[in-house]
Amino acid sequence: MFRIQHRDSQSWARTGELHTAHGMVRTPAFVGVATRASVKAVEPQALMDLGLQIVISNTYHLYLRPGEDTVAKLGGLHRFSGWTGPTMTDSGGFQVFSLGAGKQHGVGKVASIFPGKTLADLSNRKAHAPNSLVRLEEHGATFRSIIDGSPHLFTPESVIHVERKLGADIIVPLDECTSPLHDETYTRRAMERTHRWAHRALDAFRLLKDQPEYPNPNQQLFGIVQGGAYEAPRKESARVIDGLGFDGYAVGGSLGRSKRDMLNVLDWTMPRLREDRARHLLGIGEIEDLFAASLRGIDTFDCAAPTRLARNGTVFLRGEKRHRINLRNARFATDDRPIDPSCDCPTCQQHSRAYLRHLCRAGEMSFYRLATLHNLRFLVRLMADIRDAIAENRLQTLAKEWGF
Ligand SMILES: [Zn+2]
């Protein structure tokens, strides 16, 4: 299902082909985030025209609305949404995290996204934090709906059942996503439970394989490596998950308090996963991360940031600070140039920075679509450049050219 095309002689990077029931993905690849079976503001055909290869939807959100039975009745995610290419679903594990410990601790996956906060500042929040909206037990996770507050239970088995009905090509088991502020003892306990859940998910996956009510009989189940940003648990999780016979891997959970922690996690994890399976990095996708993760042998990444940034007026432009500009800036008020004169996206072909700035400031809906089209096309082209560089053993050089 995954075939390596070329290994970079200078790093762990590789190019490959990830084969799914709905087509092949050239890797490394950026996975578009279609949380509710839609990349916000852009319809599937336009995404395909951009060259986007694969999208990831969220099991938690689709389970709550419109419900997996509705999606299954309408032929599964592909037929339901009109996106005919490869798809993934996330398991709901991140929602267990973000509505539970993440909320309690007030932090995200990489705690340094709150610059200037010391660890003590962050830890103090615990005392004032609201009670967790999630109850975790060996059996599964009980949580409250974000739509109407009603209680729901996710178990490893029920999540596989939901993902079977949604019918994405690549699915992942329920896992517990710990916070960067959990200590090693708790992180290890959660990881061990996640491993037991992985066994149960695999059993359910095999048991539920050929039932006619499922729209996609050729799904692949990727195992999730946990262990936080602690060396021993991460290494152990990679070893255990690698031994279970999953079709591929996802690196999940807390990636620590800094970019350095994130790179350590990858350095501990990657050598312990067998080479001939695809490796996905969950929820990380800043431009520098795409390089760093590709250099360490990650094949696919998803991240909501590029499309969220676009809707807020931030668009990618190579050579600017962090390779992005904010179109709200007054300096674009009469700027008649496209966002990026070298970009072939529909937005850059037709519109000036000045017009886009006006749309953004006026809150026009068309802005969301136009900015998103540009950012996604930028990433599609960047990933093609990364693949070319790997094929020519010069990914490190390309990263340096980008300033990383
Ligand atoms: Zn463009």
Side-chain angles (χ1 to χ4, degrees), residues 79-154:
R79 278 201 57 202
F80 179 56
S81 71
W83 168 271
T84 55
T87 51
M88 301 177 71
T89 40
D90 193 351
S91 68
F94 183 70
Q95 280 65 37
V96 169
F97 161 77
S98 60
L99 299 176
K103 195 154 237 166
Q104 259 180 339
H105 292 180
V107 296
K109 285 186 134 175
V110 178
S112 69
I113 58 174
F114 301 94
K117 292 266 191 252
T118 65
L119 191 58
D121 290 338
L122 291 168
S123 297
N124 282 341
R125 292 187 185 205
K126 270 197 237 182
H128 313 291
N131 288 330
S132 172
L133 296 171
V134 174
R135 197 170 73 241
L136 272 169
E137 291 161 312
E138 185 62 27
H139 182 56
T142 310
F143 58 92
R144 290 196 174 275
S145 161
I146 51 161
I147 297 171
D148 59 11
S150 57
H152 296 265
L153 171 69
F154 268 176

Side-chain angles (χ1 to χ4, degrees), residues 342-360:
S342 73
C343 179
D344 59 0
C345 86
T347 307
C348 290
Q349 294 305 300
Q350 293 173 54
H351 301 297
S352 67
R353 294 174 184 180
Y355 179 62
L356 294 166
R357 175 175 187 269
H358 159 69
L359 294 181
C360 180

Side-chain angles (χ1 to χ4, degrees), residues 183-199:
D183 63 17
E184 183 166 345
T185 306
Y186 182 85
T187 302
R188 174 174 287 279
R189 228 173 43 225
M191 173 198 82
E192 286 165 354
R193 178 162 51 204
T194 288
H195 293 168
R196 292 191 293 277
W197 284 2
H199 276 284

Side-chain angles (χ1 to χ4, degrees), residues 339-340 343-349 373-375 377-378 381:
I339 298 168
D340 177 354
C343 179
D344 59 0
C345 86
T347 307
C348 290
Q349 294 305 300
L373 289 175
H374 170 78
N375 276 5
R377 179 62 189 158
F378 178 96
R381 294 176 76 197

Side-chain angles (χ1 to χ4, degrees), residues 109-402:
K109 285 186 134 175
V110 178
S112 69
I113 58 174
F114 301 94
K117 292 266 191 252
T118 65
L119 191 58
D121 290 338
L122 291 168
S123 297
N124 282 341
R125 292 187 185 205
K126 270 197 237 182
H128 313 291
N131 288 330
S132 172
L133 296 171
V134 174
R135 197 170 73 241
L136 272 169
E137 291 161 312
E138 185 62 27
H139 182 56
T142 310
F143 58 92
R144 290 196 174 275
S145 161
I146 51 161
I147 297 171
D148 59 11
S150 57
H152 296 265
L153 171 69
F154 268 176
T155 68
E157 293 81 6
S158 76
V159 165
I160 292 293
H161 187 60
V162 172
E163 290 188 280
R164 280 291 199 197
K165 286 193 169 178
L166 295 174
D169 298 302
I170 294 167
I171 66 176
V172 294
L174 181 66
D175 64 326
E176 182 184 351
C177 195
T178 52
S179 148
L181 298 180
H182 281 128
D183 63 17
E184 183 166 345
T185 306
Y186 182 85
T187 302
R188 174 174 287 279
R189 228 173 43 225
M191 173 198 82
E192 286 165 354
R193 178 162 51 204
T194 288
H195 293 168
R196 292 191 293 277
W197 284 2
H199 276 284
R200 287 166 54 187
L202 267 169
D203 287 347
F205 181 73
R206 288 166 183 153
L207 196 69
L208 297 175
K209 201 155 181 69
D210 298 315
Q211 300 196 12
E213 70 200 275
Y214 299 129
N216 185 354
N218 298 304
Q219 291 180 299
Q220 303 175 42
L221 180 62
F222 281 23
I224 302 186
V225 177
Q226 284 287 351
Y230 300 104
E231 182 171 0
R234 258 304 157 180
K235 287 180 171 174
E236 184 181 330
S237 188
R239 190 179 50 74
V240 169
I241 295 298
D242 183 66
L244 293 184
F246 284 103
D247 298 313
Y249 310 104
V251 178
S254 159
L255 299 173
R257 297 164 184 157
S258 66
K259 294 274 183 190
R260 184 64 249 171
D261 281 353
M262 184 186 89
L263 301 183
N264 282 339
V265 167
L266 293 178
D267 289 342
W268 298 327
T269 306
M270 289 301 122
R272 286 165 181 81
L273 301 177
R274 71 192 67 190
E275 273 202 74
D276 61 353
R277 312 265 162 103
R279 303 141 169 191
H280 180 79
L281 183 58
L282 284 159
I284 294 290
E286 288 201 23
I287 293 172
E288 63 176 311
D289 301 333
L290 300 181
F291 279 101
S294 295
L295 282 164
R296 285 164 177 80
I298 290 285
D299 304 302
T300 52
F301 344 71
D302 73 90
C303 187
T307 40
R308 191 173 54 231
L309 285 170
R311 296 193 301 279
N312 289 322
T314 299
V315 289
F316 294 131
L317 180 58
R318 185 176 176 177
E320 297 289 324
K321 192 178 171 200
R322 300 183 75 192
H323 302 295
R324 51 169 87 158
I325 55 174
N326 193 310
L327 288 167
R328 291 176 185 273
N329 197 304
R331 70 182 159 123
F332 303 123
T334 57
D335 191 334
D336 201 30
R337 293 171 296 172
I339 298 168
D340 177 354
S342 73
C343 179
D344 59 0
C345 86
T347 307
C348 290
Q349 294 305 300
Q350 293 173 54
H351 301 297
S352 67
R353 294 174 184 180
Y355 179 62
L356 294 166
R357 175 175 187 269
H358 159 69
L359 294 181
C360 180
R361 296 180 75 232
E364 284 293 333
M365 306 231 196
S366 59
F367 178 76
Y368 299 132
R369 183 173 190 276
L370 292 169
T372 303
L373 289 175
H374 170 78
N375 276 5
L376 287 176
R377 179 62 189 158
F378 178 96
L379 290 175
V380 164
R381 294 176 76 197
L382 173 60
M383 295 316 301
D385 288 348
I386 286 177
R387 291 193 297 273
D388 288 348
I390 295 170
E392 295 161 10
N393 303 308
R394 55 172 182 83
L395 182 56
Q396 281 177 329
T397 310
L398 183 69
K400 279 198 192 95
E401 286 168 13
W402 278 75

